[in-house]
Amino acid sequence: MPQTAIYIYCLVEQTRQPSLARVSVGVPGATAPVILPVGKSLWAVAAEVPLATYGSDRLEERLKDVNWVADAAVAHEAIVERFASARGAAVVPMKLFTMFSTRERAVADLRGKIRDVGAILKRIRGCQEWGVRVTRRAPDPSARERSASKPSTGTAFLSAKMRARDDARAAIVKAADAAEAAYRALERLARAARRREAPEGATTPPLVDAAFLVRADRKARFRAAARRSASNCRKAGADFALTGPWPAYNFVERA
């Protein structure tokens, strides 16, 4: 019986076979990555992984180890980003722990999905993914204490409480409006945009958490718009974070 499975990191569209120079080791326990031809100008980046670790029963146990999963995810992402950075390449990232029993089955399955892969490549070719997260800045308690004066009467106390409540609501609305304006401004410069839902039960969900698919030739305009949006958000009491560029993780599946 085979003792290994075939692990797939990503698909690469490139005229020539992708180079393996400066490719990192990959997920824990994997062999060095290899290139498998899938179709015309389409290649799979693969490796062998031991079933003693990645077999279905063993993997189920491993998935309970948050640190091990995190290490695997970082290693997987490093491989994908290495090929996505190659000039003239378009990369379709595969989900973490995409595996097949043999090389032949891996190639046959991927060739069977060549039409779907073509549609994905048409959507993401020549693009990069950027992430934006906008959060409301927590009020500064020391500033609030400095600005507050002790009311002299009960009526003054109630009035101060109402003003504080109204000011807090206005600050929330102001920050939310700035976040929405930032999203709309960046969406106009992107080929596609996806908003991400906050995890269930999140106590302080972000005002905006989104991914943008941006053509490489629009990167400078997009980053300039992001800088303007960041400035507007700061003035409105919100923190703006831009990350990227990344492979198009959020755009390889239909919305």
Side-chain angles (χ1 to χ4, degrees):
M1 291 183 62
Q3 301 299 310
T4 60
I6 303 301
Y7 187 102
I8 307 294
Y9 293 100
C10 59
L11 296 174
V12 182
E13 182 189 53
Q14 191 169 295
T15 305
R16 295 183 178 181
Q17 179 171 318
S19 168
L20 289 168
R22 301 185 305 280
V23 175
S24 56
V25 175
V27 296
T31 61
V34 296
I35 304 297
L36 304 179
V38 174
K40 184 180 179 180
S41 301
L42 188 64
W43 317 84
V45 181
E48 291 187 12
V49 291
L51 290 178
T53 302
Y54 292 87
S56 56
D57 293 342
R58 298 295 180 88
L59 185 58
E60 187 174 349
E61 285 298 314
R62 284 285 195 177
L63 292 178
K64 299 174 184 176
D65 184 341
V66 175
N67 291 329
W68 185 86
V69 174
D71 288 344
V74 169
H76 180 106
E77 185 173 310
I79 296 284
V80 176
E81 290 182 16
R82 156 65 182 79
F83 288 95
S85 67
R87 185 183 299 274
V91 170
V92 179
M94 303 299 284
K95 291 181 178 178
L96 191 63
F97 306 126
T98 296
M99 292 176 286
F100 298 89
S101 57
T102 65
R103 292 189 181 192
E104 292 74 20
R105 288 198 175 185
V107 171
D109 183 89
L110 294 171
R111 285 177 176 168
K113 298 173 180 174
I114 204 78
R115 182 174 296 181
D116 293 336
V117 172
I120 293 169
L121 286 166
K122 182 178 180 180
R123 183 163 63 247
I124 69 173
R125 189 181 290 120
C127 294
Q128 300 169 325
E129 179 176 319
W130 294 81
V132 167
R133 185 179 176 89
V134 184
T135 54
R136 180 169 176 258
R137 191 179 308 124
D140 182 354
S142 61
R144 186 169 61 243
E145 289 170 5
R146 287 193 301 269
S147 63
S149 58
K150 187 175 181 180
S152 58
T153 66
T155 301
F157 174 79
L158 291 176
S159 296
K161 292 286 285 185
M162 291 176 65
R163 281 197 305 273
R165 181 200 62 193
D166 292 342
D167 289 347
R169 289 177 177 173
I172 292 171
V173 171
K174 186 178 181 181
D177 287 347
E180 288 301 317
Y183 176 83
R184 291 193 299 271
L186 297 174
E187 184 183 28
R188 286 193 291 270
L189 294 171
R191 177 176 290 180
R194 300 266 173 92
R195 298 188 75 146
R196 294 182 282 245
E197 296 295 327
E200 188 175 348
T203 55
T204 55
L207 300 170
V208 166
D209 186 10
F212 298 87
L213 186 66
V214 181
R215 282 179 12 206
D217 60 3
R218 284 195 166 192
K219 178 175 72 172
R221 290 178 62 191
F222 183 85
R223 295 190 67 176
R227 287 193 294 270
R228 291 192 296 272
S229 295
S231 176
N232 293 336
C233 285
R234 281 195 300 272
K235 294 173 184 176
D239 292 322
F240 179 104
L242 174 70
T243 60
W246 309 107
Y249 291 104
N250 285 283
F251 298 93
V252 296
E253 296 181 3
R254 293 185 182 276

